[in-house]
Amino acid sequence: MVILRLPEEIEKIRRSNLIVAEILNELKEKVKPGIATIELDVIASELARKKGVSPAFKGYRGYPFSLCTSVNFEVVHGLPSDRVLVEGDIISLDFGVYYKGYYGDAAVTVPVGNVSPEAARLMEVTEEGLYDGIKEARAGNRLGDISAAVQRRVEAAGFSVVRDFVGHGIGKNLHEEPQIPNYGIRGRGVELKAGMVLAIEPMVNEGTHKVRILPDGWTVVTEDVKLSAHFEHSVAITDNGPDILSKIQ
Ligand code: MF3
Ligand code: CO
């Protein structure tokens, strides 16, 4: 069952998501050649502490860090480490918080210095796919309308959508129903209603859609070792259309 949230609950989910957005913005500025991904995790933890929120991922199903840092052919759930970023890398930063009973969750992929045109295009198309999906997040539409819109944008650009991981409802739990695939068929799936809050998160690969998990048990990588990008927003469906909760207006 997909939970419908009251306007006052949506405001609380917005509070959490705006804090996520602020922290992601600060992290983006720190991404430069020479920084280690563990340093980004430390900064994220420190910012969360200062703002009085809990990092949502730490301890979630045993996840050992606050932040997910997925570099180049890493798709999602990359573990922060002493790996140092170099010019030309792309890095996905995925962060969540828990604050006063509600979760926030968002992700961005950013370039490290100058990147190849193909890498830049991959990031651009992934974000466009996210926004195409968000546009379909309106009452009366179906879940498949979001999925199909993302898939269309991504595949039209010659990239592929990861199938083994999906977006999700969000609120009192980090992951709630429904699951939100980034591929699908317009008109299919549950009917979208005002009050639903959805974390839409396309993971887009330069080559094959196929992925595998590294022996660390977390890091998801592309099978062909080509690049991957990830963007995520938490979005409330309102009577006036989609309301992006994880975006500083
Ligand atoms: N944004 C990711 C998700 O919704 C983050 C979860 S990472 C985990 O799945 F480490 F907490 F699992
Ligand atoms: Co998520």
Side-chain angles (χ1 to χ4, degrees):
M1 205 201 45
V2 182
I3 298 167
L4 301 183
R5 299 287 174 198
L6 298 167
E8 51 266 38
E9 291 181 291
I10 290 177
E11 290 317 306
K12 289 179 183 166
I13 303 172
R14 190 194 310 277
R15 290 279 294 264
S16 299
N17 273 291
L18 285 177
I19 295 166
V20 171
E22 285 170 13
I23 293 175
L24 283 175
N25 279 347
E26 298 209 40
L27 291 172
K28 276 192 211 172
E29 288 181 18
K30 303 287 179 186
V31 169
K32 285 192 181 87
I35 194 166
T37 55
I38 191 70
E39 296 182 74
L40 296 170
D41 181 74
V42 170
I43 294 165
S45 301
E46 192 57 23
L47 289 170
R49 195 189 57 75
K50 273 194 204 147
K51 292 171 191 281
V53 302
S54 309
F57 303 164
K58 193 152 200 168
Y60 182 83
R61 298 189 182 178
Y63 186 74
F65 296 97
S66 297
L67 182 69
C68 299
T69 54
S70 307
V71 181
N72 296 341
F73 68 90
E74 298 172 351
V75 179
V76 285
H77 305 164
L79 301 177
S81 71
D82 56 10
R83 175 188 189 145
V84 172
L85 297 177
V86 301
E87 179 112 20
D89 285 344
I90 61 171
I91 181 170
S92 304
L93 304 171
D94 190 351
F95 191 61
V97 306
Y98 182 69
Y99 179 61
K100 295 193 176 171
Y102 293 88
Y103 283 89
D105 184 10
V108 290
T109 304
V110 291
V112 181
N114 286 311
V115 301
S116 71
E118 175 80 353
R121 179 88 185 117
L122 177 69
M123 292 188 285
E124 182 180 71
V125 167
T126 306
E127 192 170 21
E128 286 170 354
L130 170 59
Y131 279 94
D132 284 0
I134 289 171
K135 279 195 198 118
E136 298 294 331
R138 33 183 83 252
N141 276 6
R142 299 263 168 185
L143 191 62
D145 299 349
I146 297 176
S147 305
V150 175
Q151 182 177 21
R152 184 188 166 104
R153 169 73 68 166
V154 168
E155 292 182 354
F159 298 131
S160 71
V161 151
V162 172
R163 288 154 188 261
D164 295 355
F165 295 85
V166 295
H168 49 94
I170 182 166
K172 290 190 179 174
N173 291 289
L174 177 60
H175 293 145
E176 297 182 355
E177 285 185 51
Q179 293 196 12
I180 310 171
N182 294 296
Y183 63 96
I185 299 171
R186 174 161 286 283
R188 301 263 181 102
V190 297
E191 189 183 330
L192 302 178
K193 297 199 168 85
M196 291 181 178
V197 184
L198 307 176
I200 304 172
E201 50 177 319
M203 290 143 269
V204 174
N205 294 352
E206 186 184 11
T208 180
H209 74 268
K210 291 187 185 163
V211 299
R212 64 188 183 88
I213 300 177
L214 293 185
D216 64 25
W218 281 103
T219 313
V220 178
V221 298
T222 58
E223 243 186 48
D224 59 9
V225 201
K226 292 188 176 181
L227 298 176
S228 186
H230 178 212
F231 282 84
E232 175 176 24
H233 271 309
S234 294
V235 180
I237 299 176
T238 75
D239 290 322
N240 303 314
D243 181 357
I244 306 177
L245 304 180
S246 49
K247 189 168 183 161
I248 298 165
Q249 300 297 332

